[in-house]
Amino acid sequence: MKLKSKFTGLLKLVFPSAWPELLLFLFFVLGYGILGSYIAYHYRIIFDNRIPWDAYFSFDNRAIVMTGGGFERHPLSNYFFDQLRWVASWVSDGQYDGCFRMVLAWFSIVTVSLSLVQVYKYLRNIIELPVILAVTIVLFFSFFSTNILLSFTPETYTYTLFLLVLFQYYSALMLKKDRKIPVTALTLAGVTIGGLTITNIIKVYIPLLFERKLFWNWKKIVHVVIRVVLSVAVFLLLYLNRMNFELGRIFSKTEQQYEKFSNPKVTPLWDMICSWFLGGNMLFPGFVLRDYHNKKGFEYKALFMDTYTSVFSYVFVGLIVVLMLWSYAKNFRNRWVQMVMISFFVDVLIHCVLKFGLHTSYIYGGHFIFVVPLMLGWLFYAYRNFAKMISIFYGILLIVMIYLLLNNIFRMQEFFIFLESFYR
């Protein structure tokens, strides 16, 4: 009975468990489903066996689907994508055609829709916002460029977004119940989240710092250390097993990747952060075309994001940052807020300080952009007893949501022109 209860609890945690959650899930599946199905059926952009990487916005669709990506950044993702590819191949009778693309797209559609449900669960069950406010924030988040792109893109970021939001909600729920995160959950999170992208494994252990009265009891500290060590040990054994325990290969390849993706660009640092790291994951900027080849003679057009050209776009990004920082300041003593923001600061360090992949940081949004709706939710929570401030924030949210929607619809029209021109 205990095992059955735990399984039931897991299903309720992962999937919609209330009518508003189910309705939201169906709404997102319908919306993203129409978009993803149309792209998968009419265009070969989602998977073209001749194009290994960078066809649009630096996503590595074929490379990820076929191999799971580089072992130094995605150490265990090959096991997941081997299964995903097998399912898609089984449905399409081994053909890399529209049917194959459709299966890949629908895995992404369902995953992103579930991610949005997790955000709603957090807003309702952790922050305890009213339904109408939680729904508005989730709708706002659903129009972000990251969610739109990942809803049809078979990439590690698609599944990382879901796993990170799920674990953020789960760990917040455990702390709210004043319960410890068990070693089994830590290990599973470490293997799945860190296995898809190794740097994200750090985020799995952040919630442990906020267990009640941790630093006032040495026994609790020892218990936390044991849980972390066991979790990390399982992850490392699986990782090293994949690499036949060749440590030197891991370090040399990691250094090569850092050098490759951290080269300075002509674009000013502040603009890369604003237009790509923050803005590009919410509000589409303009696009630029580049000529690429697959090193085997096949040439193709690739689409990348440009920096913003409109002052309104910079104002949009600046306003979101101000609201997030405002929320952080008002809720600074709140441990759930600290969990969210410290997780975000990990990505700030990697991309904005160390500059890893900053010039294409608009593809990394699945690792952190969910912080925006969560922090907006905490901002409303901080002013829950001030009706006037709630009205002002709600008005601002509606205005920026309208601008976001109009801008991203316009930019997606340009994206379809690109598809029509080069990927029929």
Side-chain angles (χ1 to χ4, degrees):
M1 287 298 293
K2 188 175 181 181
L3 184 62
K4 181 180 179 181
S5 176
K6 285 188 175 182
F7 181 69
T8 303
L10 178 63
L11 291 179
K12 288 182 178 180
L13 177 74
V14 174
F15 297 101
S17 57
W19 277 109
E21 296 169 12
L22 180 60
L23 292 174
L24 278 174
F25 176 71
L26 294 176
F27 174 77
F28 294 133
V29 164
L30 177 63
Y32 292 138
I34 293 172
L35 174 66
S37 298
Y38 187 84
I39 292 174
Y41 183 77
H42 290 92
Y43 307 104
R44 53 188 171 86
I45 191 74
I46 290 177
F47 186 94
D48 188 323
N49 209 27
R50 300 167 297 179
I51 302 176
W53 50 70
D54 293 337
Y56 63 105
F57 310 127
S58 204
F59 289 119
D60 298 337
N61 298 24
R62 181 197 174 278
I64 293 294
V65 171
M66 300 303 288
T67 69
F71 65 85
E72 72 289 344
R73 287 184 290 162
H74 312 293
L76 303 175
S77 65
N78 61 311
Y79 299 110
F80 172 78
F81 282 97
D82 283 350
Q83 302 307 311
L84 177 60
R85 185 179 67 254
W86 180 85
V87 172
S89 296
W90 177 71
V91 174
S92 65
D93 292 325
Q95 302 298 310
Y96 298 133
D97 54 9
C99 185
F100 184 82
R101 297 192 299 268
M102 189 72 74
V103 174
L104 296 178
W106 269 94
F107 270 100
S108 297
I109 289 161
V110 172
T111 302
V112 171
S113 298
L114 286 174
S115 302
L116 294 170
V117 170
Q118 290 299 318
V119 172
Y120 176 83
K121 284 174 180 273
Y122 188 103
L123 296 173
R124 284 287 294 146
N125 301 329
I126 303 301
I127 308 180
E128 299 180 355
L129 294 182
V131 171
I132 186 64
L133 188 50
V135 169
T136 304
I137 293 175
V138 172
L139 285 176
F140 173 60
F141 181 51
S142 71
F143 299 137
F144 279 22
S145 53
T146 287
N147 291 318
I148 293 173
L149 293 177
L150 294 184
S151 70
F152 59 83
T153 299
E155 252 277 15
T156 57
Y157 307 107
T158 307
Y159 303 96
T160 298
L161 170 65
F162 169 67
L163 291 172
L164 283 173
V165 178
L166 173 63
F167 188 72
Q168 188 71 238
Y169 171 60
Y170 167 75
S171 56
L173 203 59
M174 293 297 284
L175 290 184
K176 190 171 184 179
K177 295 177 180 179
D178 202 19
R179 292 164 57 185
K180 296 181 177 65
I181 301 173
V183 67
T184 50
L186 283 177
T187 302
L188 182 60
V191 169
T192 54
I193 293 173
L196 284 178
T197 303
I198 192 167
T199 51
N200 284 323
I201 196 171
I202 302 170
K203 302 172 185 177
V204 172
Y205 307 112
I206 291 172
L208 299 178
L209 300 174
F210 299 94
E211 290 185 356
R212 191 173 298 280
K213 296 182 179 180
L214 173 65
F215 298 103
W216 282 266
N217 189 325
W218 67 269
K219 290 183 179 180
K220 288 187 176 183
I221 295 175
V222 171
H223 193 258
V224 164
V225 171
I226 291 173
R227 280 182 283 160
V228 171
V229 169
L230 290 174
S231 172
V232 171
V234 172
F235 173 80
L236 288 178
L237 284 173
L238 291 172
Y239 187 10
L240 292 173
N241 180 65
R242 181 190 176 187
M243 302 307 303
N244 294 318
F245 293 85
E246 297 177 16
L247 284 172
R249 186 181 171 198
I250 295 173
F251 289 124
S252 62
K253 188 65 175 178
T254 299
E255 184 178 356
Q256 291 174 18
Q257 290 294 306
Y258 180 75
E259 291 295 327
K260 178 181 178 181
F261 289 99
S262 302
N263 294 326
K265 299 296 176 181
V266 176
T267 307
L269 178 63
W270 70 268
D271 208 359
M272 286 195 288
I273 293 173
C274 184
S275 295
W276 296 334
F277 176 73
L278 291 170
N281 288 297
M282 297 184 288
L283 187 77
F284 279 120
F287 305 142
V288 292
L289 275 176
R290 294 177 189 167
D291 294 313
Y292 267 65
H293 62 84
N294 66 355
K295 297 184 179 180
K296 294 181 181 179
F298 180 72
E299 297 182 349
Y300 59 94
K301 293 290 185 181
L303 194 68
F304 291 83
M305 291 190 190
D306 200 356
T307 55
Y308 290 124
T309 55
S310 169
V311 66
F312 294 109
S313 298
Y314 288 107
V315 170
F316 174 93
V317 177
L319 185 57
I320 296 298
V321 171
V322 167
L323 292 176
M324 286 179 62
L325 293 177
W326 193 341
S327 177
Y328 188 39
K330 288 293 294 184
N331 296 282
F332 191 79
R333 295 181 180 275
N334 185 316
R335 55 181 175 162
W336 290 277
V337 170
Q338 290 294 349
M339 280 167 47
V340 172
M341 289 302 290
I342 292 174
S343 174
F344 177 59
F345 292 147
V346 171
D347 293 284
V348 172
L349 174 65
I350 292 170
H351 301 297
C352 302
V353 178
L354 299 179
K355 301 184 182 68
F356 181 84
L358 183 57
H359 60 293
T360 55
S361 53
Y362 40 75
I363 70 170
Y364 293 98
H367 295 173
F368 61 84
I369 202 61
F370 58 87
V371 169
V372 174
L374 300 189
M375 292 306 294
L376 289 177
W378 282 115
L379 181 62
F380 281 101
Y381 171 83
Y383 288 92
R384 60 193 180 281
N385 296 322
F386 300 88
K388 186 174 181 181
M389 291 301 296
I390 291 291
S391 298
I392 292 172
F393 289 139
Y394 196 75
I396 292 173
L397 179 60
L398 291 178
I399 291 171
V400 295
M401 182 163 63
I402 292 171
Y403 180 74
L404 173 76
L405 180 60
L406 293 176
N407 178 88
N408 286 356
I409 288 175
F410 175 76
R411 294 303 181 189
M412 282 302 291
Q413 289 179 327
E414 294 183 334
F415 180 66
F416 273 101
I417 292 174
F418 165 75
L419 297 183
E420 192 69 32
S421 301
F422 304 108
Y423 286 91
R424 286 291 296 182

